[in-house]
Each structure stands twice: as structure tokens, then as C-alpha cells.
Amino acid sequence: VNSASDVAVVVDPSNNPIVAWTEGDGARSNVYLARLNMARRQWEPIGASNLPLNFAANSRANWPTLAVHPSGLLVLAWVEDDRPVAKTFTGTEWRALPAGIGPNGRTTGRPRMAMGPDGFAVLAWLDADAGGAVRAARSGISSWTALGTPQLGPAPPADLVPTTLALAVDGNNRPLIGWAQGTGDAYATYARRWDGSAWQPFDGAPSNAVRLGAFALGVNSSNQPVIAVTEPGAGDHLVRH
């Protein structure tokens, strides 16, 4: 193991940063996690020290993502051999969620994870078995539940395949997904909220005939989605929301 990448960061309820990352040797890669103890000013393992969190030995782990609940519940998800998987810390060890190791599906990109007030994790990913469309699933007491069908927006000026993905959960435990579609010098963004039985679209998400920079999705105090994008220009960036 000689390189580290795919860093993800979250801050726990005690304001301690938690960092997840992967280390690999080109053939396999492992996912690790540590917390910065602000009182001691040092990084500390969460669980067994210096042990990878992969489910299987000699697997390839990529793209970790983290979510923490106000109660302190911590969930780590990543892609292991093309499958989105997740573990939670019980206080003494890392285990698969009660719902299982992860939803059924394959992805070749970074997943997104979020938790609402109820503490159940939601995962979103670009589905390799559905042409790269957006899929999401919610963890439950004993299984993962797929949320609807794979999602795509209408054909933008360039490409149907989503290139950027974001996920949030509002104060009523309703997941929201957002993504950008497009290549070259044009993009369109989309946002949809789960109403308990289907994904409902929001109109008016920003789009433009320019190259997309960064993309982010959040929820405001009224439980409405907020999308922000950057559009690179000549030594300058425009933020649209």
C-alpha cells in the first residue's frame, strides 16, 4: 500500500473532524477512517487501529462517503468491487447496517450518503446497470429498500448520462437527489424529492450553455432544495443557485 486518495470529511456533534480515505497498490485498495481529537490535537482511529474496513480481503475499495446523525451515529459507505456498501460504528466495532451490507446494484462512480432525523441512511449512486442513471435506496430495520426507478432528466444539449451527483434528506426524512447532465460546453441540472412512493421533480433548476464546474445540493430551513453550481470563466467563477 503506497498511495492515499478519495478523501471524505464530516464533522461529528462534538466538532471533531472525521476523515475517510482509501489506500491502494494498483491491484487492490482499502478504506480507512480516523477522527481528529480536538482536545488532544491528534488523529485517532475509530475502532481497531490501522485495520481496513473492507468487507472482503483483497477487494478494491473506492470513493468513501460519510454521514453522521446529531445523536453521534456514524455511517461510512464506499464502493467495493463496484458495489455500494456501508458500515456503522456500534461504539466498539464496525458492522454492516442492520439492513445488510448495501443495496443491490453496481456503480463506477462515487456514491452519496445522507441521514435524516430518523437516523436511517440513504445511499444514491449512478447505476452501472441502468446506463448511469441515478438510483437511491434507504436502509431499514432488516433490508435496503430501493426508492423508485432509475432517474434521468430530458436530453440536455449534450449527453443523457449524469456526470455529477448529490444527495440530501430534509427535516421530514424525505430524500432529495440532484444531478447534472451534459458534456462539453453545456449542462442541465435536475432535483427530485421522494414523496413516499415516487420521485417528484422541481422546476427551474439552473442550466446553461457553458461548461459545468462544481455542483452541490442542500436543503433550506423550509425543506426546499437549494442547488449551487460554479461555471468556470476567464480567471473567474460564477455561482448560480
Side-chain angles (χ1 to χ4, degrees), residues 3 38 46 50 69 74 93 121 130 137 151 154 215 226 230:
S3 63
M38 296 296 290
I46 299 178
N50 298 321
H69 190 265
L74 177 63
E93 63 179 342
Q151 298 293 299
F215 172 89
V226 177
T230 61

Side-chain angles (χ1 to χ4, degrees), residues 96-113:
L97 275 68
I101 67 171
N104 292 324
R106 294 189 310 118
T107 184
T108 56
R110 181 186 291 275
R112 295 293 186 266
M113 183 172 58

Side-chain angles (χ1 to χ4, degrees), residues 165-188:
L165 174 64
L167 171 70
V169 179
D170 71 16
N172 294 321
N173 295 307
R174 296 175 298 185
L176 297 93
I177 51 175
W179 70 94
Q181 290 177 207
T183 59
D185 293 325
Y187 74 87

Side-chain angles (χ1 to χ4, degrees), residues 13 68 95 134 185:
V68 62
R95 290 184 179 178
V134 179
D185 293 325

Side-chain angles (χ1 to χ4, degrees), residues 87-130:
K87 283 185 176 182
T88 187
F89 188 62
T90 66
T92 57
E93 63 179 342
W94 287 93
R95 290 184 179 178
L97 275 68
I101 67 171
N104 292 324
R106 294 189 310 118
T107 184
T108 56
R110 181 186 291 275
R112 295 293 186 266
M113 183 172 58
M115 274 193 288
D118 63 5
F120 288 105
V122 178
L123 262 175
W125 67 97
L126 301 181
D127 192 342
D129 296 318

Side-chain angles (χ1 to χ4, degrees), residues 137-191:
R138 189 202 303 267
S139 66
I141 296 174
S142 60
S143 64
W144 287 85
T145 301
L147 301 181
T149 58
Q151 298 293 299
L152 283 173
D159 196 343
L160 275 172
V161 178
T163 58
T164 308
L165 174 64
L167 171 70
V169 179
D170 71 16
N172 294 321
N173 295 307
R174 296 175 298 185
L176 297 93
I177 51 175
W179 70 94
Q181 290 177 207
T183 59
D185 293 325
Y187 74 87
T189 61
Y190 302 91

